[in-house]
């Protein structure tokens, strides 16, 4: 080998050595930069590759009846998420998912075509939908555990409880009114993802800690079911538009039932017209008709008149200015007892005229009419009761027998219960208590006395009048029950025309309101049937439903008969009396 060649090789070796040393130096410098200066940033980038932060919301609290039966609860559900960057054909995936989930394909394709790592496709889908999607084995589509609101009794108390939307926030009823109480707390937590972007784990303990509070109602599931069942039969039998039944404990103001018909299933609320969602017992006002006469009588008893005070009832026709008032049957002289028993409009007019507009107005206000009851439901109406200074003679007359004044069903049953409760008006009570996720009492709502409206003596007299209305030739005889003294009052109210000018000749609200037993009322019940056909008198339409609900509720609550002399004993063949 020549000296020249040898020199060239040595030079190459030196260059290679220099390059190796330089490379080692550069690698060391880069390693130092990565490990010291960029460690934090690179760790965060790596973390994003296998984890992300999500907001976890605690499970929604439950709604129970007074006996801790579940009326609204939450069940496990599946939500569908996506990693759009991993989806090669967004159009095809969107088409397949939209067919199963029933969502807009074009909008979904836009979501799946985005440059995001994460997107929500659908919340709280059904197990059947989830299984169909699993079978497609779609890349970039994932399943996450979630919860869904569920109403185990379907239609039961639907208008009272309401429902939630897809995000589990309350939209109607108590779900809406008490949304801030029921909804769980939220917390942002870190979750791990698998190599495809799906969530590997989710801390269930954290979900449990975030669970919302629960509500216990005063409603009794069995009496609610019974009320709804009888109401449905009554509405259908009379081809009516709708109906309501309210059951209250007079001494406490607690509601055991608030029933509506038509009903709806809150599990599938989107299938129904939103008109049916309304809790009409609270939101709607109607003219009570002759049921108002007991309050007119109560006002008179407090102002110098007695149950045997007599009034001339004009033989069935009485003119006030250009208006004529009629009674169903012609009467001459009637006592106050008989005016309530036979439901004389003219008699009630005469009573109202004797005591005066101011006194009548003040007692109606004292019974709770014209003001909201503050029941724990959204959208409550105050009804309408104009100031007495604005009453004309015909206004005063009409109001005394239940026209020209409008009330809610809650107001009316509360007023009737005040008579049953010896003259003391109680605040309507629907919420019994609010409890924590572990069952601890957080707030307890107790019966609340609002005011004494009339004396015990006057209340006893009105009870007697209402008992007479259910006996003999009274208007409410179809509400009478063997073994119990029933006190009640019928109402047959013509519905006002939509233009506000006059009353319909064809459309009525049929009402029966009452309580039993007379001496110690256990339950007060209001039945109101809207626009029944063929028959429309409250004594024919509403009173039989009242009787059935009262009798079966007494049987369920084990309320014994008042007096053995009312009982009928059935003997088996061959048995001696």
């Amino acid at each position: 080998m020549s000296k020249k060649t040898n020199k060239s090789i040595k030079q190459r070796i030196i260059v290679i050595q220099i390059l190796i040393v330089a490379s080692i130096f550069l690698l060391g410098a880069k390693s130092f930069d990565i490990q010291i200066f960029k460690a934090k940033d690179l760790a965060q980038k790596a973390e994003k590759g296998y984890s992300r932060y999500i907001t976890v919301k605690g499970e929604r609290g439950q709604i129970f009846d007074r006996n801790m039966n579940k009326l609204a609860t939450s069940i496990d559900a599946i939500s569908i998420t996506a990693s759009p960057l991993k989806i090669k054909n967004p159009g095809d995936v969107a088409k397949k998912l939209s067919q199963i989930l029933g969502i807009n394909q074009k909008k979904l394709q836009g979501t799946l075509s985005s440059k995001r790592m994460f997107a929500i496709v659908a919340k709280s889908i059904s197990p059947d939908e989830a299984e169909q999607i699993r079978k497609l084995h779609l890349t970039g589509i994932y399943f996450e555990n979630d919860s869904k609101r569920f109403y185990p009794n379907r239609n039961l108390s639907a208008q009272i409880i309401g429902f939630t939307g897809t995000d589990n926030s309350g939209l109607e009823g108590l779900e809406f009114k008490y949304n801030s109480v029921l909804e769980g707390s939220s917390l942002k937590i870190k979750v791990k993802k698998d190599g495809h972007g799906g969530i590997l784990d989710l801390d269930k303990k954290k979900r449990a800690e975030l669970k919302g509070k629960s509500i216990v109602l005063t409603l009794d599931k069995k009496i609610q079911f019974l009320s709804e069942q009888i109401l449905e039969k009554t509405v259908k039998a009379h081809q009516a538009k709708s109906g309501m039944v309210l059951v209250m404990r007079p001494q406490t103001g607690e509601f055991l039932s608030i029933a509506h018909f038509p009903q709806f299933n809150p599990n599938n609320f989107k299938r129904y017209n939103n008109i049916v969602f309304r809790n009409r017992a609270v939101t709607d006002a109607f003219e009570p008709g002759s049921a108002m006469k007991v309050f007119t009588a109560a006002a008179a008893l407090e102002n110098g008149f007695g149950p045997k005070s007599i009034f001339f009832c004009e033989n069935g026709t009485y003119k006030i200015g250009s208006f004529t008032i009629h009674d169903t049957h012609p009467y001459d002289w009637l006592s106050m007892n008989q005016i309530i028993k036979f439901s004389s409009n003219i008699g009630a007019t005469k009573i109202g005229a004797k005591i005066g507009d101011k006194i009548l107005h003040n007692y109606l206000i004292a019974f709770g009419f014209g003001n909201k009851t503050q029941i724990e439901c959204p959208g409550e109406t105050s009804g309408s009761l104009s100031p007495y200074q604005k009453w004309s003679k015909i206004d005063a007359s009409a109001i005394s027998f239940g026209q020209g004044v409008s009330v809610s069903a809650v107001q009316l049953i509360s007023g009737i219960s005040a008579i049953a409760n010896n003259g003391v008006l109680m605040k309507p009570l629907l919420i019994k208590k609010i409890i924590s996720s572990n069952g601890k009492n957080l707030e307890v709502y107790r019966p609340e006395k609002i005011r004494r409206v009339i004396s015990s003596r006057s209340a006893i007299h009105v009870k007697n009048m209402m008992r007479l209305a259910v006996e003999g030739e009274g208007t409410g005889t179809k509400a009478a029950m063997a073994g119990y003294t029933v006190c009640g009052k019928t109402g047959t109210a013509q519905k006002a025309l939509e233009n506000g000018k006059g009353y319909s000749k064809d459309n009525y609200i049929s009402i029966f309101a009452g309580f039993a037993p007379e001496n110690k009322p256990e339950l007060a019940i209001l039945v109101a049937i809207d626009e029944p056909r063929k028959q429309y008198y409250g004594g024919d339409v509403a009173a039989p439903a009242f009787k059935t609900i009262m009798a079966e509720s007494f049987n369920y609550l084990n309320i014994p008969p008042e007096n053995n002399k009312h009982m009928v004993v059935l003997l088996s063949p061959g048995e001696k009396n």
Side-chain angles (χ1 to χ4, degrees):
M1 185 181 296
S2 66
K3 291 182 179 180
K4 188 175 181 180
T5 302
N6 190 40
K7 185 179 180 180
S8 176
I9 291 171
K10 286 181 179 180
Q11 287 176 341
R12 289 177 185 176
I13 291 172
I14 291 170
V15 170
I16 291 171
Q17 288 176 334
I18 291 171
L19 290 173
I20 291 172
V21 170
S23 297
I24 292 171
F25 177 80
L26 289 173
L27 286 171
K30 187 66 175 176
S31 176
F32 184 82
D33 179 55
I34 291 171
Q35 293 182 49
I36 304 301
F37 296 112
K38 296 182 179 179
K40 187 176 181 180
D41 289 341
L42 291 171
Q44 288 177 347
K45 288 181 180 179
E47 179 79 1
K48 288 180 181 178
Y50 64 83
S51 68
R52 66 179 171 86
Y53 283 91
I54 65 169
T55 299
V56 176
K57 197 168 186 178
E59 187 178 284
R60 193 172 178 85
Q62 301 179 99
I63 299 178
F64 299 95
D65 83 336
R66 66 187 302 112
N67 298 311
M68 301 306 291
N69 294 303
K70 291 178 183 178
L71 301 178
T73 189
S74 295
I75 58 173
D76 290 338
I78 299 293
S79 289
I80 302 298
T81 62
S83 180
L85 290 176
K86 297 181 181 295
I87 298 174
K88 294 181 180 179
N89 191 338
D92 181 57
V93 174
K95 181 180 180 180
K96 291 176 179 177
L97 291 179
S98 64
Q99 288 174 347
I100 296 172
L101 299 173
I103 55 181
N104 185 282
Q105 180 180 338
K106 188 175 181 180
K107 186 177 179 180
L108 179 56
Q109 183 173 340
T111 300
L112 300 180
S113 301
S114 67
K115 300 300 180 182
R116 292 182 291 169
M117 279 294 295
F118 174 78
I120 295 174
V121 174
K123 297 277 288 180
S124 302
I125 67 172
S126 69
D128 180 59
E129 290 171 331
E131 185 58 29
Q132 290 182 60
I133 295 171
R134 285 184 196 278
K135 289 179 179 179
L136 296 176
H137 302 291
L138 299 172
T139 302
I141 298 299
Y142 309 105
F143 302 83
E144 297 185 11
N145 292 327
D146 202 347
S147 65
K148 179 181 180 180
R149 203 58 166 167
F150 179 63
Y151 304 93
N153 303 291
R154 295 167 57 84
N155 299 354
L156 193 82
S157 307
Q159 282 87 354
I160 308 303
I161 297 167
F163 51 82
T164 64
T166 53
D167 62 350
N168 262 357
S169 291
L171 298 180
E172 290 284 347
L174 294 176
E175 293 275 32
F176 170 76
K177 176 80 172 180
Y178 286 87
N179 188 64
S180 61
V181 173
L182 292 163
E183 69 176 354
S185 303
S186 297
L187 184 68
K188 195 172 185 180
I189 65 171
K190 185 191 293 184
V191 293
K192 293 181 180 180
K193 297 189 295 184
D194 60 23
H196 302 291
I199 291 178
L200 284 173
D201 61 6
L202 189 59
D203 195 335
K204 290 187 177 181
K205 186 177 179 181
K206 284 189 173 66
R207 276 195 188 275
E209 291 171 354
L210 298 171
K211 186 174 180 179
K213 303 177 186 72
S214 293
I215 296 175
V216 180
L217 306 184
T218 62
L219 298 181
D220 187 300
K221 177 182 171 181
K222 290 187 178 179
I223 294 179
Q224 179 74 27
F225 176 76
L226 169 66
S227 300
E228 291 182 3
Q229 190 178 49
I230 301 304
L231 177 63
E232 179 178 359
K233 289 179 180 178
T234 303
V235 170
K236 288 181 176 179
H238 293 280
Q239 300 172 17
K241 182 179 178 182
S242 63
M244 295 179 285
V245 169
L246 287 76
V247 181
M248 176 180 274
R249 286 192 185 277
Q251 291 84 5
T252 63
E254 294 174 285
F255 277 110
L256 300 186
S257 169
I258 302 178
H260 294 78
F261 188 83
Q263 298 172 293
F264 73 96
N265 184 350
N267 292 307
N268 300 298
F269 67 88
K270 291 181 180 179
R271 298 180 181 178
Y272 298 84
N273 187 309
N274 59 10
I275 293 174
V276 78
F277 301 156
R278 195 169 69 247
N279 179 4
R280 289 176 290 108
V282 170
T283 63
D284 289 15
F286 56 91
E287 293 193 355
S290 294
M292 186 61 74
K293 291 170 185 172
V294 297
F295 305 110
T296 302
L301 289 168
E302 287 286 288
N303 287 273
F305 293 88
K308 294 184 179 179
S309 297
I310 60 172
F311 300 84
F312 184 58
C313 293
E314 307 288 343
N315 293 306
T317 303
Y318 183 45
K319 288 185 70 71
I320 297 179
S322 60
F323 296 92
T324 303
I325 300 169
H326 298 279
D327 276 340
T328 305
H329 302 286
Y331 302 106
D332 46 21
W333 290 94
L334 293 178
S335 67
M336 199 184 304
N337 278 342
Q338 292 171 317
I339 288 170
I340 300 302
K341 179 182 179 74
F342 300 130
S343 198
S344 169
N345 292 337
I346 296 171
T349 295
K350 293 292 186 79
I351 295 172
K354 284 288 186 181
I355 63 176
D357 299 353
K358 182 178 181 180
I359 289 175
L360 178 58
H361 177 273
N362 289 347
Y363 274 92
L364 294 181
I365 290 290
F367 272 109
F369 303 113
N371 292 293
K372 294 180 180 181
T373 67
Q374 303 304 322
I375 189 174
E376 306 94 333
C377 292
E380 183 181 12
T381 180
S382 60
S384 66
L385 177 61
S386 58
Y388 70 90
Q389 296 91 338
K390 295 184 179 181
W391 292 1
S392 65
K393 284 187 176 181
I394 191 60
D395 289 335
S397 171
I399 288 170
S400 69
F401 60 80
Q403 286 189 341
V405 56
S406 66
V407 304
S408 71
V410 170
Q411 286 176 334
L412 186 54
I413 192 64
S414 296
I416 292 292
S417 290
I419 293 170
N421 194 33
N422 291 323
V424 176
L425 181 69
M426 302 297 292
K427 182 180 183 296
L429 194 58
L430 182 60
I431 307 294
K432 195 174 181 68
K433 58 185 176 180
I434 295 174
I435 59 177
S436 66
S437 57
N438 58 10
K440 182 181 177 182
N441 289 347
L442 300 176
E443 293 181 58
V444 177
Y445 298 87
R446 305 190 186 283
E448 182 182 337
K449 173 183 173 181
I450 297 177
R451 69 180 73 90
R452 173 169 286 283
V453 184
I454 57 175
S455 67
S456 295
R457 180 181 176 83
S458 294
I460 290 170
H461 286 316
V462 180
K463 286 183 188 181
N464 184 60
M465 293 176 190
M466 295 174 72
R467 176 176 56 79
L468 293 173
V470 180
E471 296 178 351
E473 297 176 341
T475 58
T477 56
K478 291 182 180 180
M481 293 165 53
Y484 303 92
T485 49
V486 175
C487 303
K489 185 68 192 77
T490 56
T492 307
Q494 287 178 287
K495 294 185 71 172
L497 295 171
E498 291 185 4
N499 60 15
K501 297 179 180 180
Y503 291 86
S504 170
K505 294 181 179 179
D506 303 310
N507 297 324
Y508 297 82
I509 295 179
S510 301
I511 295 167
F512 191 90
F515 47 85
E518 179 183 6
N519 294 328
K520 189 183 177 182
E522 296 283 352
L523 299 179
I525 298 177
L526 168 65
V527 179
I529 307 298
D530 189 18
E531 297 187 17
R533 296 305 172 202
K534 297 180 181 178
Q535 290 180 306
Y536 56 82
Y537 286 115
D540 294 323
V541 176
F546 169 97
K547 174 184 177 179
T548 303
I549 295 167
M550 184 72 82
E552 295 197 25
S553 296
F554 276 11
N555 182 54
Y556 161 65
L557 296 171
N558 293 317
I559 296 172
E562 295 173 279
N563 203 320
N564 287 335
K565 72 179 181 181
H566 293 289
M567 298 299 292
V568 176
V569 179
L570 297 178
L571 302 178
S572 60
E575 188 177 0
K576 293 183 179 180
N577 193 346

